[in-house]
Amino acid sequence: TSYVPKSWDEAYVYAVIFFEEYGHLNISSCYKTKDGFDLGNWIYLQRKNMDTLSQDKKDKLNAIEITAKR
């Protein structure tokens, strides 16, 4: 089953947890969390739409190095 977060902030928490555990966000766009959230696709979409996001969201994403490539 797939899990769909109820808000952008809830999805962001998944990204933070992954980043804190692994130290990066270089994951496949098809990566899913244990409870079925499509985190890889969400991260892909945030990178793709970075120019259209609010400054607050950009700041949050930059804090977890979403655009960093390793």
Side-chain angles (χ1 to χ4, degrees):
T1 62
S2 287
Y3 175 74
V4 179
K6 293 167 184 45
S7 66
W8 186 93
D9 288 315
E10 187 181 344
Y12 174 74
V13 169
Y14 278 91
V16 170
I17 291 167
F18 186 96
F19 180 77
E20 288 177 350
E21 187 167 342
Y22 299 102
H24 67 83
L25 289 173
N26 294 327
I27 59 178
S28 165
S29 61
C30 58
Y31 175 84
K32 292 187 188 247
T33 61
K34 287 184 179 90
D35 63 358
F37 172 49
D38 195 354
L39 180 61
N41 189 54
W42 186 84
I43 289 172
Y44 165 79
L45 291 172
Q46 301 317 299
R47 289 179 177 140
K48 182 179 173 205
N49 300 316
M50 196 70 142
D51 293 342
T52 64
L53 296 174
S54 68
Q55 192 59 50
D56 179 56
K57 288 180 180 177
K58 287 180 190 178
D59 292 344
K60 286 180 174 183
L61 292 170
N62 286 326
I64 58 172
E65 302 174 13
I66 196 163
T67 57
K69 297 282 184 209
R70 294 182 189 225

